[in-house]
Amino acid sequence: DFVGARFQQDVSLRRAKFNGTVHFNGAQFIQTADFRRAEFNQWADFVGAQFNQIAIFSYTKFRQYAEFRKAKFKETALFDGAQFNQTAIFSDITFHQYAEFSQSQFKETANFERANFNQESNFENAIIGNAIFNHSQFSKDVSFDNASIKDLSLKGSDLDRLDIRWSAITGDLAYDDSAYNLLRKNLDTRGYLDDASDCRYSYRCKHRADLWRQGKLGMWSLDFLAWASYGYGLKPQLPLYWSISIILLGGLFFFSTRSVVRSSQCPGPS
């Protein structure tokens, strides 16, 4: 174990295999820390670790629990292509410089709660099972271009710098008034108008379900009517579908009840 260790020189552990639990909590890496393509087969503990120079975890495999809670990366942090098979904890972490997570894979939860991204960060082409960015701070742009996120939570986060498409969220965005409204505004500002509409529609559906849970049946009924009739103004095809359906059903009713007959079958004047 390397609890509280201080590494004065470059640390090169590329392609290293750690078969047991490894503790680097509180460790200080004064120079470059290179863990690229390393394999952590058990718990990887980097809680409170400090990286003063570039930290390289490119294509590293974390087969069990990986924890970087309260770690500090003072220079570039590279996690591109890294693979996390179980929960990865990056809560209360600080990235002082560029953070690279492109093509990384988080098969379960990626917890970045209260994380601080002081410079640009990149999650392009990343695959994340459950992404938690609650109360995170993004001082510079963060890109999720072509990323795939099953479930996403953004409660309490500043989303002005977030560059993400609605299609990147393949599952569910956690219900939160502020998060939904800020994300919709962000999508609208970036010119992703269809994405902004989809975000608003999803929010209204979540809000309707919340009214039901709270037992506000009167408000829920009105909201349900707004959804069913015209999709909150975001599904303009619904009134057309309703009109066609009513015409067809009305015609079927009249013909089935013989309320409409051909003119040849009408009785003549007596």
Side-chain angles (χ1 to χ4, degrees):
D1 290 348
F2 302 94
V3 176
R6 183 181 177 89
F7 299 94
Q8 299 282 2
Q9 302 300 321
D10 290 348
V11 174
S12 180
L13 291 169
R14 62 175 65 180
R15 297 184 182 276
K17 291 186 178 182
F18 301 92
N19 292 322
T21 298
V22 180
H23 294 286
F24 283 97
N25 55 307
Q28 295 184 51
F29 298 86
I30 307 302
Q31 302 298 326
T32 298
D34 189 351
F35 289 88
R36 80 184 75 183
R37 298 187 183 276
E39 295 183 19
F40 293 87
N41 294 322
Q42 297 295 325
W43 178 27
D45 174 14
F46 286 88
V47 174
Q50 179 173 302
F51 300 85
N52 289 3
Q53 298 297 325
I54 185 172
I56 307 172
F57 289 88
S58 303
Y59 298 95
T60 298
K61 294 182 179 180
F62 299 89
R63 302 190 188 281
Q64 300 292 329
Y65 193 79
E67 188 167 9
F68 288 84
R69 179 170 50 87
K70 294 185 178 181
K72 290 181 173 60
F73 292 85
K74 294 190 174 182
E75 294 294 336
T76 299
L78 299 178
F79 286 88
D80 50 307
Q83 181 176 309
F84 300 85
N85 289 356
Q86 295 191 11
T87 298
I89 303 296
F90 289 86
S91 58
D92 299 292
I93 197 170
T94 301
F95 295 100
H96 289 278
Q97 300 297 328
Y98 179 69
E100 175 69 78
F101 285 89
S102 63
Q103 299 182 342
S104 57
Q105 296 182 46
F106 296 85
K107 295 187 177 181
E108 295 187 2
T109 297
N111 187 345
F112 286 87
E113 196 164 19
R114 296 180 302 277
N116 292 297
F117 296 85
N118 293 337
Q119 295 296 328
E120 293 181 352
S121 50
N122 183 12
F123 287 84
E124 293 178 3
N125 297 295
I127 300 175
I128 308 176
N130 177 31
I132 301 174
F133 286 92
N134 297 341
H135 306 287
S136 296
Q137 298 296 320
F138 303 101
S139 299
K140 299 290 185 179
D141 289 342
V142 51
S143 174
F144 285 89
D145 191 30
N146 291 321
S148 177
I149 305 173
K150 184 177 180 182
D151 296 316
L152 176 63
S153 182
L154 297 168
K155 296 178 182 179
S157 293
D158 183 3
L159 307 183
D160 288 344
R161 298 288 188 172
L162 200 66
D163 186 5
I164 187 172
R165 301 299 299 265
W166 183 255
S167 58
I169 308 171
T170 62
D172 184 45
L173 175 63
Y175 177 66
D176 179 74
D177 287 346
S178 178
Y180 260 99
N181 289 324
L182 288 174
L183 181 58
R184 180 186 57 79
K185 180 181 177 181
N186 175 279
L187 293 169
D188 195 41
T189 301
R190 292 178 181 272
Y192 303 148
L193 302 184
D194 289 341
D195 288 9
S197 295
D198 290 341
C199 179
R200 182 184 175 191
Y201 181 78
S202 176
Y203 166 72
R204 291 298 301 271
C205 290
K206 291 283 187 67
H207 180 66
R208 186 179 71 251
D210 191 53
L211 291 175
W212 177 267
R213 284 192 296 269
Q214 294 181 37
K216 299 179 179 179
L217 300 183
M219 295 179 64
W220 178 87
S221 299
L222 293 174
D223 201 86
F224 179 83
L225 183 62
W227 166 73
S229 58
Y230 60 98
Y232 303 118
L234 300 170
K235 304 292 181 181
Q237 70 275 21
L238 287 182
L240 176 62
Y241 294 159
W242 279 115
S243 299
I244 295 174
S245 299
I246 291 172
I247 292 172
L248 292 176
L249 290 173
L252 180 63
F253 171 78
F254 282 119
F255 277 107
S256 64
T257 59
R258 297 184 181 275
S259 298
V260 176
V261 297
R262 295 180 180 179
S263 58
S264 60
Q265 297 175 336
C266 294
S270 56

